[in-house]
Amino acid sequence: MASSVFRVLSLAILAFACSLPFAAGNSHILGYSPSDLHSEPRLLSLFDSWNLKHGKHYTASQRLEKHKRFQIFRQNLMRIEAHNSKEGSTFKLGLTRFADLTREEFMRSRRLGLKLPAHNLGSLRRTLHLHPKSASSVPAVSDSVDWRVRGAVTEVKDQGMCGSCWAFSASGAIEGANALATGSLVSVSEEELVTCSSASGCDGGLMDDAFEWVINNGGIATEEAYPYRSYGGSSGACNIEVEENYKTVTIDGFADVAPYSEQALMEAVSKQPVSVAIEASAMDLQLYAEGVYNGTCSSDPYDINHGVLVVGYGSEKGVDYWIVKNSWGLSWGEGGYVRMIRNGSPFGICAIHSLSSYPVKAASGSSLVAES
């Protein structure tokens, strides 16, 4: 009798737990209840709440577009719940800011932007680019590193509908190198990189080219002096006055990480934040909410299409991961970050080992000290 009562209670508790809303660790991602999928009014209410959260409004004349977005939202929520119901997954999906887009629409929204030359990746590899003042010692690799807690990473930013991921990746690496060298964390201008360093503007670029431009230009302006204006997808003309007179942050050179080596990337990240390229067009990355990502992205180096910033690495319950800062705003992932599995393969998850580099800047007396 007692065992039967215990079994009934256990099943009731399990049923209650399964009906609880999913709320990602990121408070900017709207939570949901699995039962929402079985109620049209609740699903519509959830969609309205999601639209309100993301500042989306539909007029009466846009009812067909709203209906289309709602159907995509429903399909994505079904996909999210199917994934989250699986046992053993190391990550969760959620109603990110991209939950009303198909994969094809997301790809067309220019949220990526890494632009590789027509020739192969091997010809891209440069070993070291050092100017006279620079230094390049690699410290011993520790078990975990998080440059966010050491004052070398600025807030999460948003590239918008401009293919400027490369500029955000490069700016983050420059910010980290400068903070470690000077002891001062300064947010630098992605807009200057987009409008002044590249003829392609929002149509893509490379992090190494951004580093090269900053060196040749004699520095880069701060975010405050040259704020980001290309969010909507159109980059304007270079502000020559700011470019010439506000060269606030400088670097001495840059180095490329040996490709296809997890150990080489770890050694680099143990020293400072590192720009990397990944393949980021997978639907489960578009809807990533939390956990250690081990999803369906391509690990082929020739598929890389997005520049991001590795700001550390660690382990959770025996699963090793990279800490990756993205440029899709706060309403995606873990407050704009994704932890990506370190799986020991040559190319790494989403080909993260394929194309990595970092700026080099000589330390001053007030530089931050890397902890072991």
Side-chain angles (χ1 to χ4, degrees), residues 100-335:
D100 67 341
L101 298 176
T102 65
R103 179 178 180 273
E104 291 72 23
E105 288 173 333
F106 177 75
M107 291 294 293
R108 292 197 302 269
S109 70
R110 304 175 84 187
R111 297 283 176 176
L112 308 177
L114 189 80
K115 190 174 185 179
L116 294 179
H119 45 77
N120 61 41
L121 284 175
S123 62
L124 278 177
R125 301 318 311 174
R126 315 165 188 171
T127 55
L128 196 62
H129 307 255
L130 295 178
H131 288 239
K133 294 181 181 178
S134 57
S136 60
S137 60
V138 177
V141 176
S142 57
D143 292 334
S144 63
V145 171
D146 189 343
W147 289 112
R148 295 173 297 181
V149 301
R150 302 185 194 177
V153 183
T154 60
E155 74 285 350
V156 169
K157 304 177 185 181
D158 189 354
Q159 70 185 77
M161 294 179 288
C162 172
S164 54
C165 63
W166 57 276
F168 284 81
S169 173
S171 69
I174 292 169
E175 290 163 352
N178 183 68
L180 289 165
T182 67
S184 179
L185 181 60
V186 179
S187 183
V188 302
S189 174
E190 294 81 21
E191 186 73 2
E192 185 174 13
L193 291 174
V194 170
T195 58
C196 300
S197 75
S198 171
S200 57
C202 285
D203 292 332
L206 278 169
M207 288 78 83
D208 277 10
D209 291 343
F211 299 147
E212 190 76 66
W213 183 85
V214 172
I215 294 166
N216 294 335
N217 189 58
I220 185 171
T222 65
E223 190 87 49
E224 182 179 10
Y226 203 153
Y228 191 62
R229 305 293 190 201
S230 298
Y231 184 91
S234 298
S235 55
C238 176
N239 187 327
I240 302 298
E241 180 182 355
V242 175
E243 182 202 9
E244 291 182 349
N245 298 305
Y246 291 85
K247 301 178 182 183
T248 308
V249 174
T250 63
I251 56 175
D252 300 320
F254 64 97
D256 286 325
V257 180
Y260 317 136
S261 168
E262 183 177 291
Q263 182 64 24
L265 185 54
M266 284 183 68
E267 289 176 354
V269 176
S270 72
K271 182 169 64 173
Q272 66 189 86
V274 174
S275 289
V276 300
I278 61 172
E279 195 285 307
S281 56
M283 177 64 85
D284 56 13
L285 198 55
Q286 174 184 334
L287 300 173
Y288 166 81
E290 65 180 16
V292 180
Y293 180 78
N294 187 20
T296 60
C297 61
S298 170
S299 292
D300 187 334
Y302 290 94
D303 290 337
I304 54 177
N305 54 17
H306 189 47
V308 290
L309 185 72
V310 178
V311 300
Y313 55 82
S315 299
E316 180 180 79
K317 298 178 181 178
V319 179
D320 298 332
Y321 58 80
W322 301 109
I323 306 170
V324 179
K325 181 185 181 184
N326 204 348
S327 51
W328 293 346
L330 295 170
S331 299
W332 174 87
E334 297 181 330

Side-chain angles (χ1 to χ4, degrees), residues 18-22 32-38 42 81:
C18 290
S19 68
L20 289 175
F22 166 71
Y32 73 92
S33 169
S35 57
D36 290 337
L37 281 163
H38 307 293
R42 288 177 61 176
E81 179 55 22

